[in-house]
Amino acid sequence: MGLDPLSVVAPARVRALLLPVGRITAPKFIEYVSRLQQQNVVRLGDVSPDGRPHRTMFSPLAFPAGLVLYDLSTTLPPSSRLSLSPFELYREPLLVLGVADAGQISSSTTNGLSKSVPEGDGVGLRLNGEGDLYRDLQPEFQKIIDGYPRALVHRILLFDHSMPAGDLPEGLVTIPSPRSSNTTTMKTVMCDLTSQLLADLTTFAKALQALPSIDTPMSGLSGAGFDKAAGGTVYGSDQSQSLSATQGSRSRSPAQHDVNSQNRMSVPVPMPSTSNSRAATPDGRPLSPPGRSQTPPTTFDEIAGVRGTGSPSRSGVNESRRQSRDRVSVQGFGAGGSGEKERIKGKSRVGIVMGSMYLLAGRWPDALKELVESASIARANSDYVWLAKALDCILVTLLMHAWAGMDFKVPQILYPGVDRTSKSSGHKLTDSVSDFSATHSGASSRLVSLQNLTGILPDLINNMINLYVRAWTFTEDKIPALVFSETVVRFSKLLAVVQLSQGYLDDRALQKIVLNETVAKDAGVKALPMSFPSKVDIVTTLFRAFPDPAVDAILSVADRTTILAGIASVLSDLGYHRKKALILKEIVSGLLPALVQARKDGAAEMGVHPATSLVTLSATAGNAASSQSDSRIGDSEYGMRSFLSLLCTEYEVSLSTASSKAPKYDVSQRLDQGTKSPLDSYGEGDNDDQVIARILHQASTHLLGSENIKIDVLRACINICEALPDLEGVLRFSADTLRTAGSGIAPGPDSSDGSPSLSIEDQLRLMNNISRTLSASQQLGYKNMEAEYWDEFLVRGIELADVGSSRVPTPHAKGELELVNASENKAIKNPFIYNPFDKPVAARAEDSTLVADEEVVFRVTLQNLYDFDLEVEKITLETSGAPFDSLPESILVGPYRTQTMTLIGVPRAGGSLKVSGCYVKIKGCRERRFPLFSIPWSLNIDVKTDPRELITISQNAIGDGETKVQTSVVRKPVVSQLQLNVINVQPNVVMRSISLPQSAVMLLEGESKVFSVTLQNLSSAAAADLLSISFKDSTTTQLQSALSNKALTLAELYELELSATRNQSFRWLRTAADPEPTIDPGGSITLEIEVFGKPGLSHGNIQVDFGYLGVPKSEVKDRFYTRQLIIPLTITVNASVELVRNDLIPFPGDFAWQNQQRQQGRSASSSAASTPESQPRHHTRRHTSKDENTFSSLLSRLGLGTDDDEHCLLLLDLRNSWPNLITTSIQVRQNPSKDRPASDLWKRAYTVHETQQPGHTSRLVLILPRLYIPNPHAPIPSLNPATKRQYIVPTSKDAASSPETELAAREAFWYREELLQHIRATWREDSSGRTGTINLRSLRLSTRMMPALRLDDLAISLSLSPCPEIKPLGRATFAVPTSTFLTLTTTLWNRSAAPVHPLLRLQPCLRAQEHADLTKRLLWNGGLQRVLPVLGAGEGREVGLQVCVLSEGEYEVGAWVEEVRRVGGEGEGEEEGDFAMRGRGSGGERRVWYAGEPCVIVAEDGDEGG
């Protein structure tokens, strides 16, 4: 940290001025100055004393423990401060050191640029054998001597000197490079300079001792002090006359070589006191500065112009001397006269100056003795100003003792209450420093002295300030306001340091006081039990330094700014930041008019209008800059910019930390290692953590303070930078104004609270200001001068653009390949079986996959919350991982919107790729990285949270997911990243051609059509050795939607699943003999696809999944990737023939009986005829129509089969919905039997044809064999493997129905399925030859239809045993004579698979008279009810009953069988479920079967019959 110019120990520092000499670059100059500053403290014990006896007044041997502090500065103080010497001798530079680069000197000599040495008196560098090498330094050294004649030591330091050691010219000091230097090189140089300074200081001190008195610097209100300063005379005319002859002797010391040759002593030898040497005759020294026409340089750039300055004129000095000779005082002679009093007062003033010189020389005991003596005299003579100055220097001396760790005693003169009436004649001068201690303090330790000093410090400071005020009020010694204000600031700084140290003046506080090291308030140290001034008291004292409005016209802008800056510094240390902000704003309000006036004056000198462009003024300022510098921006601009940044920080303005590229040198930062801005802790980077830290800091400071005041402060900063002119500052603060006015949030898509607080006109004005400044900088040739963009949330979205499913690869595991192979080998694919290739493109993994060497399109969303266009000159993607080339693009983002653009990139190799942001170059702003913030964010805090606590958010932001502030939790903005996976080169298959025109086809319901598709592989490196074809259509979506309905019954669910499984719309006609299809690089393949017309089919997709394996499928070990090609088709399906309604009615078995009787008659009449079994087989397949005698043809074959004697009639109403004539064909097959296998059933089926007119409905009558199902109450199955389960939970409809209803529904389901297996229908359009199938699944069975179709488990038939007396009239109708004994045979046949224990009951009755008495009409032998033995599965049994009809008439004998008990089958019933058990008579219910046809007996009298 640099030295504080307003420190309380500033009078103990020796000011040295460092100037660049010769051809030296700015970075080198900064480097050399830094090496010197590291050794700014010199111990007197390390300094070699001067060997000349007349220059030993300040010999280091007298106090080897002393230290000399150097204030190394690169700027000369203004004349207002130089005029205060010797009242404040530390303000004047006593050493002027030129800094030169040996490398540049040698190069200029080599290039023939050396200059001739002017003839003169030999002053300066005396050339030796290497004179050509140092020839260029001779005029530079002479300029230093002529330009700064009041300095005591003039030297040129030649750095990086690498030539062999030899005799050097006088005034030249060589310093090797850091590599060639050791640890004591720079220390030795500083010690040699200190030795020369102490020697020359003796001459100066003797000249001062010869003066009768020293005048007090006068305030500008009286017109005297500043007139003298303007005329070049610092001291009174008397001092000028006495010190007129010292200029030529100091710089040409003949013993210089002897002094440099002496060895430095590590342990000093005690020397006698040199106090008596003050009476020596001075050799004369002009202390007045030469009159110069312009203000001394104050910046690095202006210092370079010193070399062209000529020797100053001394006419003003000679005139002052002549006037002083004429003034002779003739009053007040004698011991008690006024002349004696003035003489004593003058000697005390000289003594005080001598004490300050001892203080500068590190001789603190001598300084203390001299100052105490002189202060006592000044007090006795009421010399208030010089008494205050003496007390000031005594305090500084004690602080230096304490800082060096030495014991000291507080002089009595510092204590309050000292007798102020003592006269000079009665005052006893002490002979030693030990006599100065307080008499009441018995302790001699350093800690006790520090405690004593701390105790009297407030009163002492108040006393010194009051002395200055008293002098202003009661005497003519009115010191300048600058001195008073700076003194108050210095004392206030001291009080503030002690107050921050809990009232202790300890080592930490002393380090802060002397070396300006940071000291923090230690909470663990208990405050002293003394009444030390509070912060409020210190601030009250501090504001006494505030410049009075009456003296504002006298103080220069620089002096007023320095005072206010010191006040702000103390306020900052005490924690009064709002007061500090007000002071800083006061500084700006004073600087701005001065800078504007200076700009007007400069424009007037140039002959241009003050409102002209910045280019002209900036060019003029740049011409004054050093030609060796790589940047022409002056040091003052960076110092002013740092000050403005501090001002903005105090007003909680969020500033940019990484504006433009920093110049190669920054004097304010390199020379003054002060505290950094709070923003510097975040680092000037654009990684995620640093950007988040900036966002949180900006958002937190946005809540603090008034936004209008912040904007006003930033406008003032812009105006100051424009007045300098500082182009970079204009850019920076204009961008900061936009940032401060912005919302600092990432709004969501529905949010509208992101607009800035500035009006549109102000926003446009700031943007135009940035553009104008950039244009001026480009005309001046400034490079890399760019603003910092004002919105961190520029990039709001990065995503992959939709490039089609054929371009996106999908990862698969090895197991998925096995599933695909198994599915491909099946003729009909089950849509409910998982197909890994059937996933849509959107349902992918989180990490999207890219293919190497293929272009990728990204959609980037940019945010602009301001009301002006944002021109993006260049934007590229920021990626990491796999090599990726991003093509730059440009875009103009409109005002207040989020705008999406596309960026194209190409991955060059496989691997993981991460996209985390963009590199964006906005016009007028630097190119930087912007992270991706896709999630909306704003700083939401609890209303009870103190906004001051939010400043800690940015400090804790890095590494924490959330930041806690008291009771609230602050959510950090989340940086999003796009994770991608790049794979190697893959095939690229496209559709080359399709046989369908415009990919569209028109079909009729039930019609199938085949078309071809040709695929081509565009890749030249990878073959498509994996092809998988799948299909999707509009009916699939409808079925899936219907299947999701939870209210469907099981039968309806089965119907939907069957439609999705069996009746698929598309099918790949692939033969099993074909090899695995492969498309070579650049090759093609043709696929045959069949499409089937279904109701609701409007469109479909052919999905081709292809990939590159490189190995056989069985050898795939790792995951593989496929791509998906979708070929859309447009399909139109028109209605053809549809089933309108259906019905089932019973059909008697007499037709079959007659055919059987006729067949038996033929076999009896002709022995050569075929058997009855073979004859119908020959004529089985026959096509009939309605024109022919359909029923006669069908009835003639009934009963000729084995089990075809039970039939029913199926009525189908078919409607032709097509506008053309259609022929309908329906086939019906018989039930399978032992001699008729199932494979031959459709070959033996009969077909019914019907030609239908357009729009007509025709009824077709079909004779259908009755069906038997062993278990008609089995659960309804499910074709979807995902829904197959052990226990079926009924749906809402099923649960609401009764068990009987559920049994009926199951029975209807199974008989319907069996019925559909026996019939099939097709249609044909004769005009075009188009054919198709008719969907009969709309056929429905009701409860009324079931008895006609169903065959019971137990068949019961009644007949009379054949005999000659019986004449059969039908299958169960017989004509018999009366009074004839007959045998009534009841035949039972068990069709089921379970045994039945029957109880047979016969019920004879008179036909049409059920309740007639039969006792006199019909006789029977035996019981009508009998229990029969168990009837096994598939077993038949006949039971006979002797009957005799007594009277003629028609009789009916009915039969039914009741199950006696359940025999076996319990396990089967349990497996079928409760409903099946109920249907089959389990659960306590006995089953009953009835004969389908009663036996009819027609009795006739035998006589009549005969």
Side-chain angles (χ1 to χ4, degrees):
M1 184 176 294
L3 299 178
D4 186 5
L6 294 178
S7 173
V8 70
V9 296
R13 299 172 185 164
V14 177
R15 179 179 291 271
L17 179 62
L18 304 179
L19 303 175
V21 173
R23 298 168 55 88
I24 181 172
T25 61
K28 282 291 185 180
F29 179 75
I30 297 301
E31 177 186 351
Y32 301 153
V33 171
S34 177
R35 292 181 64 184
L36 289 173
Q37 286 179 335
Q38 295 175 4
Q39 301 293 334
N40 64 334
V41 179
V42 178
R43 181 176 175 270
L44 293 181
D46 298 331
V47 178
S48 300
D50 195 299
R52 292 167 291 184
H54 61 283
R55 294 198 176 189
T56 58
M57 178 182 293
F58 299 97
S59 175
L61 299 179
F63 188 61
L67 299 173
V68 177
L69 274 69
Y70 284 97
D71 184 6
L72 302 175
S73 175
T74 58
T75 58
L76 183 69
S79 60
S80 60
R81 287 173 171 79
L82 293 176
S83 63
L84 299 177
S85 179
F87 178 74
E88 291 181 344
L89 190 60
Y90 66 93
R91 297 182 180 273
E92 183 179 10
L94 301 181
L95 294 89
V96 178
L97 305 177
V99 179
D101 186 1
Q104 295 294 335
I105 296 297
S106 59
S107 62
S108 63
T109 304
T110 305
N111 295 333
L113 300 177
S114 60
K115 302 177 182 179
S116 59
V117 181
E119 298 293 338
D121 54 358
V123 176
L125 295 174
R126 290 201 293 268
L127 301 180
N128 53 11
E130 300 173 352
D132 293 337
L133 180 61
Y134 311 112
R135 190 178 301 276
D136 286 345
L137 298 180
Q138 173 63 28
E140 302 293 343
F141 185 67
Q142 187 63 38
K143 289 178 182 179
I144 292 177
I145 296 176
D146 297 339
Y148 304 94
R150 290 169 52 181
L152 301 181
V153 178
H154 302 83
R155 291 291 183 271
I156 291 182
L157 306 181
L158 187 60
F159 283 84
D160 294 346
H161 186 270
S162 59
M163 297 188 65
D167 294 337
L168 296 175
E170 184 180 354
L172 179 64
V173 179
T174 60
I175 303 174
S177 62
R179 293 183 179 180
S180 304
S181 303
N182 50 35
T183 57
T184 61
T185 300
M186 294 306 302
K187 185 177 182 180
T188 303
V189 172
M190 295 301 296
C191 290
D192 293 341
L193 294 175
T194 304
S195 176
Q196 183 63 36
L197 173 65
L198 296 179
D200 292 342
L201 197 61
T202 301
T203 305
F204 184 31
K206 292 179 180 180
L208 288 176
Q209 288 177 347
L211 297 176
S213 180
I214 299 178
D215 294 339
T216 303
M218 302 303 293
S219 172
L221 293 177
S222 61
F226 288 116
D227 291 341
K228 295 179 181 179
T233 303
V234 177
Y235 314 119
S237 57
D238 297 336
Q239 293 105 354
S240 300
Q241 182 179 4
S242 303
L243 304 175
S244 60
T246 60
Q247 173 64 32
S249 60
R250 277 185 293 105
S251 299
R252 299 187 303 271
S253 176
Q256 179 67 37
H257 180 72
D258 298 337
V259 173
N260 292 336
S261 63
Q262 293 179 3
N263 296 327
R264 180 174 296 102
M265 294 180 292
S266 60
V267 180
V269 179
M271 298 279 296
S273 177
T274 59
S275 59
N276 297 329
S277 61
R278 279 176 282 170
T281 303
D283 54 357
R285 175 182 180 269
L287 300 179
S288 302
R292 292 190 291 270
S293 61
Q294 59 182 358
T295 305
T298 58
T299 65
F300 180 83
D301 300 324
E302 295 175 356
I303 290 174
V306 173
R307 293 171 292 182
T309 306
S311 301
S313 174
R314 302 187 182 181
S315 60
V317 178
N318 298 330
E319 181 66 23
S320 176
R321 293 173 182 174
R322 287 192 298 268
Q323 294 177 4
S324 63
R325 293 192 188 100
D326 299 335
R327 293 195 299 267
V328 179
S329 178
V330 296
Q331 298 178 356
F333 288 96
S338 60
E340 180 65 18
K341 184 177 180 180
E342 291 296 331
R343 184 184 64 81
I344 296 175
K345 184 188 296 187
K347 288 298 181 182
S348 67
R349 294 183 178 184
V350 173
I352 293 173
V353 175
M354 292 298 301
S356 64
M357 295 179 67
Y358 278 113
L359 180 60
L360 292 174
R363 297 271 296 272
W364 301 328
D366 296 328
L368 188 60
K369 177 180 178 181
E370 192 73 31
L371 290 170
V372 170
E373 293 177 356
S374 301
S376 300
I377 299 174
R379 170 174 289 179
N381 292 275
S382 300
D383 196 356
Y384 302 121
V385 173
W386 288 89
L387 174 59
K389 173 54 63 178
L391 296 178
D392 185 359
C393 293
I394 293 174
L395 177 60
V396 173
T397 305
L398 296 181
L399 292 176
M400 298 304 294
H401 274 91
W403 170 69
M406 303 176 184
D407 294 339
F408 66 93
K409 294 181 181 180
V410 180
Q412 185 66 30
I413 195 172
L414 297 183
Y415 286 97
V418 178
D419 184 17
R420 303 179 181 179
T421 60
S422 59
K423 303 297 180 179
S424 60
S425 59
H427 180 74
K428 180 181 178 182
L429 299 179
T430 56
D431 296 331
S432 64
V433 180
S434 60
D435 296 334
F436 300 150
S437 61
T439 57
H440 67 274
S441 177
S444 59
S445 64
R446 172 175 172 268
L447 295 179
V448 174
S449 300
L450 284 174
Q451 184 176 353
N452 295 336
L453 180 60
T454 305
I456 68 172
L457 197 56
D459 293 335
L460 176 62
I461 291 176
N462 190 43
N463 183 28
M464 288 186 286
I465 296 176
N466 290 334
L467 287 175
Y468 283 123
V469 175
R470 188 181 305 172
W472 183 278
T473 305
F474 300 105
T475 66
E476 297 296 330
D477 292 338
K478 301 181 185 300
I479 61 172
L482 174 64
V483 177
F484 178 78
S485 297
E486 287 192 353
T487 302
V488 174
V489 172
R490 289 173 48 239
F491 292 158
S492 300
K493 281 180 176 286
L494 176 60
L495 292 177
V497 171
V498 180
Q499 208 280 339
L500 292 177
S501 300
Q502 303 292 336
Y504 283 91
L505 196 59
D506 52 7
D507 293 337
R508 294 186 308 159
L510 292 171
Q511 291 292 331
K512 169 66 176 178
I513 293 171
V514 179
L515 299 180
N516 198 24
E517 294 183 357
T518 304
V519 58
K521 189 173 182 179
D522 192 355
V525 179
K526 187 177 181 181
L528 287 175
M530 62 173 57
S531 56
F532 196 81
S534 62
K535 291 184 179 180
V536 177
D537 297 334
I538 298 175
V539 171
T540 303
T541 303
L542 174 65
F543 272 100
R544 298 179 68 177
F546 195 88
D548 190 87
V551 300
D552 280 348
I554 301 175
L555 283 176
S556 64
V557 176
D559 294 340
R560 186 176 185 275
T561 303
T562 302
I563 296 171
L564 295 178
I567 296 175
S569 176
V570 179
L571 293 175
S572 177
D573 293 339
L574 294 176
Y576 290 95
H577 296 286
R578 282 188 288 185
K579 289 183 175 62
K580 173 187 175 182
L582 293 175
I583 296 299
L584 294 179
K585 192 173 182 181
E586 185 69 20
I587 295 176
V588 173
S589 63
L591 285 176
L592 186 57
L595 292 175
V596 172
Q597 184 62 37
R599 181 176 180 180
K600 293 180 179 179
D601 296 341
E605 294 178 0
M606 297 167 53
V608 297
H609 193 273
T612 188
S613 175
L614 293 173
V615 178
T616 308
L617 297 179
S618 299
T620 306
N623 293 332
S626 176
S627 59
Q628 294 90 355
S629 175
D630 294 337
S631 174
R632 295 190 296 179
I633 302 177
D635 304 341
S636 60
E637 297 176 5
Y638 285 99
M640 181 59 69
R641 202 179 307 153
S642 300
F643 163 70
L644 295 178
S645 299
L646 178 62
L647 171 65
C648 295
T649 303
E650 292 302 325
Y651 278 92
E652 304 297 345
V653 177
S654 180
L655 299 178
S656 58
T657 59
S659 54
S660 62
K661 295 183 179 179
K664 295 186 177 181
Y665 70 100
D666 191 342
V667 178
S668 62
Q669 294 181 3
R670 297 294 295 273
L671 297 186
D672 185 8
Q673 303 296 328
T675 57
K676 293 185 178 181
S677 172
L679 295 175
D680 295 339
S681 60
Y682 307 135
E684 298 183 357
D686 298 323
N687 59 45
D688 293 343
D689 290 337
Q690 292 168 335
V691 172
I692 290 175
R694 288 201 297 267
I695 292 174
L696 291 176
H697 185 272
Q698 294 168 9
S700 59
T701 55
H702 187 76
L703 301 177
L704 301 176
S706 171
E707 187 170 351
N708 294 330
I709 295 178
K710 294 179 183 179
I711 295 177
D712 291 341
V713 169
L714 287 170
R715 285 172 177 168
C717 295
I718 295 174
N719 294 333
I720 288 178
C721 292
E722 288 180 345
L724 281 175
D726 180 8
L727 301 182
E728 188 173 350
V730 173
L731 286 178
R732 175 179 178 180
F733 291 111
S734 298
D736 291 338
T737 305
L738 291 173
R739 180 182 297 102
T740 302
S743 59
I745 66 172
D750 300 330
S751 177
S752 59
D753 56 353
S755 58
S757 59
L758 284 176
S759 63
I760 299 179
E761 292 77 9
D762 291 339
Q763 297 179 46
L764 294 176
R765 188 180 299 109
L766 287 172
M767 195 61 193
N768 293 333
N769 195 22
I770 293 176
S771 301
R772 183 172 59 92
T773 305
L774 287 174
S775 177
S777 64
Q778 293 174 0
Q779 295 182 30
L780 293 173
Y782 291 161
K783 299 180 180 179
N784 303 323
M785 183 174 290
E786 297 166 336
E788 180 73 11
Y789 187 64
W790 38 88
D791 187 7
E792 298 288 346
F793 298 101
L794 176 63
V795 181
R796 293 301 310 278
I798 300 177
E799 60 182 1
L800 285 174
D802 187 8
V803 293
S805 59
S806 61
R807 297 285 303 277
V808 180
T810 305
H812 300 280
K814 179 182 178 182
E816 297 179 354
L817 184 61
E818 298 175 356
L819 293 176
V820 173
N821 291 336
S823 177
E824 293 289 345
N825 295 330
K826 295 182 179 180
I828 299 178
K829 296 182 180 180
N830 189 348
F832 300 108
I833 300 298
Y834 171 70
N835 183 8
F837 292 164
D838 200 25
K839 295 184 298 183
V841 178
R844 296 297 173 87
E846 294 182 359
D847 53 336
S848 300
T849 305
L850 307 179
V851 181
D853 294 335
E854 291 188 9
E855 285 189 354
V856 185
V857 180
F858 292 87
R859 291 169 54 88
V860 180
T861 303
L862 302 180
Q863 168 182 290
N864 179 21
L865 299 180
Y866 295 84
D867 295 300
F868 50 81
D869 292 333
L870 190 65
E871 183 177 352
V872 179
E873 297 179 345
K874 176 184 176 184
I875 178 173
T876 57
L877 293 173
E878 189 260 337
T879 61
S880 60
F884 185 85
D885 295 340
S886 179
L887 303 181
E889 296 288 343
S890 61
I891 187 176
L892 183 66
V893 183
Y896 199 74
R897 69 188 62 187
T898 56
Q899 190 165 330
T900 302
M901 63 175 300
T902 59
L903 289 180
I904 300 176
V906 180
R908 294 304 181 185
S912 178
L913 182 65
K914 180 174 67 175
V915 182
S916 57
C918 295
Y919 288 104
V920 185
K921 175 64 175 70
I922 299 174
K923 184 178 181 180
C925 302
R926 72 178 179 93
E927 182 177 1
R928 52 158 292 190
R929 173 185 176 270
F930 286 90
L932 170 61
F933 294 99
S934 59
I935 302 176
W937 179 87
S938 62
L939 185 62
N940 298 322
I941 63 170
D942 188 73
V943 294
K944 298 181 181 179
T945 303
D946 184 6
R948 289 289 175 182
E949 299 178 10
L950 298 179
I951 300 299
T952 59
I953 296 176
S954 55
Q955 300 173 357
N956 301 329
I958 300 177
D960 293 339
E962 57 185 18
T963 302
K964 295 183 179 180
V965 181
Q966 292 293 341
T967 59
S968 63
V969 177
V970 178
R971 181 175 60 91
K972 291 170 47 179
V974 179
V975 177
S976 304
Q977 293 179 347
L978 183 61
Q979 298 286 345
L980 302 173
N981 182 31
V982 183
I983 61 176
N984 295 326
V985 181
Q986 295 291 314
N988 187 10
V989 177
V990 297
M991 183 189 71
R992 189 177 67 180
S993 63
I994 185 172
S995 61
L996 297 176
Q998 299 181 356
S999 299
V1001 61
M1002 192 278 290
L1003 299 172
L1004 297 178
E1005 289 185 11
E1007 183 183 6
S1008 299
K1009 187 172 184 179
V1010 179
F1011 62 93
S1012 61
V1013 177
T1014 302
L1015 305 178
Q1016 184 176 5
N1017 184 10
L1018 299 180
S1019 176
S1020 59
D1025 55 1
L1026 174 62
L1027 279 180
S1028 175
I1029 311 298
S1030 58
F1031 308 96
K1032 289 185 179 180
D1033 56 82
S1034 56
T1035 61
T1036 304
T1037 306
Q1038 299 172 4
L1039 290 174
Q1040 293 295 337
S1041 177
L1043 288 172
S1044 62
N1045 186 6
K1046 302 297 182 181
L1048 293 175
T1049 62
L1050 295 177
E1052 295 171 344
L1053 185 64
Y1054 176 85
E1055 194 67 27
L1056 294 175
E1057 293 176 350
L1058 183 66
S1059 177
T1061 305
R1062 305 288 175 83
N1063 300 328
Q1064 297 182 4
S1065 302
F1066 295 94
R1067 186 165 62 96
W1068 179 19
L1069 301 180
R1070 175 187 175 188
T1071 60
D1074 292 340
E1076 294 290 337
T1078 301
I1079 307 179
D1080 297 329
S1084 61
I1085 189 175
T1086 301
L1087 305 177
E1088 298 291 333
I1089 307 297
E1090 181 186 51
V1091 57
F1092 176 72
K1094 295 173 57 177
L1097 180 62
S1098 59
H1099 60 273
N1101 293 330
I1102 303 175
Q1103 179 176 311
V1104 182
D1105 292 274
F1106 57 92
Y1108 173 70
L1109 300 178
V1111 295
K1113 295 181 179 180
S1114 59
E1115 299 180 5
V1116 175
K1117 298 181 180 180
D1118 201 356
R1119 65 190 307 181
F1120 62 96
Y1121 292 86
T1122 62
R1123 285 180 169 179
Q1124 196 175 89
L1125 173 63
I1126 303 296
I1127 303 176
L1129 299 176
T1130 302
I1131 305 170
T1132 303
V1133 178
N1134 296 320
S1136 56
V1137 179
E1138 56 182 348
L1139 176 63
V1140 178
R1141 66 184 66 88
N1142 65 279
D1143 196 4
L1144 278 171
I1145 58 176
F1147 188 73
D1150 292 339
F1151 292 96
W1153 177 81
Q1154 291 178 2
N1155 291 336
Q1156 291 174 358
Q1157 295 297 325
R1158 190 182 305 113
Q1159 182 68 20
Q1160 291 176 2
R1162 290 196 190 100
S1163 61
S1165 62
S1166 178
S1167 60
S1170 302
T1171 61
E1173 292 79 4
S1174 62
Q1175 186 175 358
R1177 293 178 184 177
H1178 183 70
H1179 301 282
T1180 296
R1181 186 168 183 83
R1182 181 180 176 186
H1183 300 283
T1184 62
S1185 65
K1186 233 179 181 183
D1187 295 336
E1188 303 175 0
N1189 193 349
T1190 305
F1191 287 103
S1192 61
S1193 175
L1194 294 177
L1195 293 177
S1196 64
R1197 298 196 307 272
L1198 292 180
L1200 299 181
T1202 305
D1203 297 321
D1204 291 345
D1205 53 350
E1206 298 289 339
H1207 293 81
C1208 62
L1209 292 181
L1210 174 63
L1211 307 180
L1212 298 178
D1213 292 346
L1214 302 178
R1215 180 173 59 197
N1216 179 14
S1217 301
W1218 184 243
N1220 294 333
L1221 192 68
I1222 289 181
T1223 300
T1224 303
S1225 301
I1226 301 180
Q1227 286 184 296
V1228 181
R1229 69 173 178 85
Q1230 301 297 322
N1231 289 326
S1233 61
K1234 295 181 180 180
D1235 57 345
R1236 290 184 302 198
S1239 59
D1240 297 336
L1241 292 178
W1242 290 109
K1243 296 179 181 180
R1244 302 165 58 90
Y1246 70 89
T1247 305
V1248 176
H1249 300 280
E1250 177 70 20
T1251 301
Q1252 295 182 271
Q1253 296 296 328
H1256 285 207
T1257 301
S1258 300
R1259 172 166 290 183
L1260 279 70
V1261 180
L1262 304 175
I1263 300 178
L1264 187 70
R1266 298 180 65 186
L1267 306 177
Y1268 171 74
I1269 298 177
N1271 187 12
H1273 304 107
I1276 299 176
S1278 176
L1279 301 179
N1280 187 359
T1283 60
K1284 288 184 177 180
R1285 51 194 180 274
Q1286 183 177 2
Y1287 301 101
I1288 301 177
V1289 180
T1291 61
S1292 59
K1293 292 183 179 180
D1294 299 331
S1297 61
S1298 62
E1300 290 75 12
T1301 306
E1302 175 64 18
L1303 290 174
R1306 291 187 179 184
E1307 186 180 33
F1309 171 80
W1310 288 112
Y1311 275 100
R1312 176 176 174 272
E1313 291 298 315
E1314 187 65 23
L1315 172 62
L1316 293 175
Q1317 298 296 325
H1318 284 71
I1319 60 175
R1320 63 185 181 184
T1322 59
W1323 59 264
R1324 177 183 177 85
E1325 186 183 10
D1326 296 333
S1327 61
S1328 61
R1330 302 170 67 176
T1331 60
T1333 61
I1334 301 175
N1335 184 16
L1336 298 178
R1337 296 205 64 85
S1338 59
L1339 184 146
R1340 294 292 180 265
L1341 297 181
S1342 62
T1343 306
R1344 180 187 58 82
M1345 302 177 189
M1346 293 304 301
L1349 181 64
R1350 179 183 59 212
L1351 291 176
D1352 293 333
D1353 292 339
L1354 189 64
I1356 305 174
S1357 62
L1358 298 172
S1359 63
L1360 295 177
S1361 299
C1363 63
E1365 295 81 2
I1366 300 175
K1367 181 181 179 180
L1369 301 178
R1371 186 173 60 174
T1373 304
F1374 301 92
V1376 298
T1378 58
S1379 302
T1380 302
F1381 285 95
L1382 304 172
T1383 302
L1384 178 63
T1385 303
T1386 302
T1387 304
L1388 303 179
W1389 178 32
N1390 185 11
R1391 292 190 181 99
S1392 67
V1396 176
H1397 193 185
L1399 172 62
L1400 177 62
R1401 288 192 175 101
L1402 300 177
Q1403 181 64 44
C1405 67
L1406 191 62
R1407 194 173 188 182
Q1409 299 180 15
E1410 297 181 359
H1411 301 288
D1413 186 12
L1414 296 179
T1415 56
K1416 297 181 180 181
R1417 294 177 179 271
L1418 183 65
L1419 298 176
W1420 57 85
N1421 183 16
L1424 295 179
Q1425 177 176 328
R1426 69 177 68 178
V1427 178
L1428 302 179
V1430 176
L1431 187 63
E1435 184 181 353
R1437 180 171 293 142
E1438 294 182 353
V1439 180
L1441 179 67
Q1442 296 294 326
V1443 297
C1444 180
V1445 181
L1446 299 180
S1447 64
E1448 61 180 7
E1450 294 184 0
Y1451 300 88
E1452 286 185 357
V1453 180
W1456 72 89
V1457 175
E1458 185 176 354
E1459 191 175 20
V1460 176
R1461 61 182 178 84
R1462 185 75 170 174
V1463 181
E1466 289 80 357
E1468 181 182 355
E1470 293 176 359
E1471 293 179 359
E1472 295 175 354
D1474 183 63
F1475 284 156
M1477 292 170 65
R1478 290 186 181 184
R1480 303 192 62 174
S1482 60
E1485 298 181 1
R1486 294 190 297 178
R1487 293 178 291 177
V1488 179
W1489 296 275
Y1490 296 91
E1493 185 178 3
C1495 180
V1496 179
I1497 301 175
V1498 181
E1500 299 177 352
D1501 291 337
D1503 297 341
E1504 295 179 358

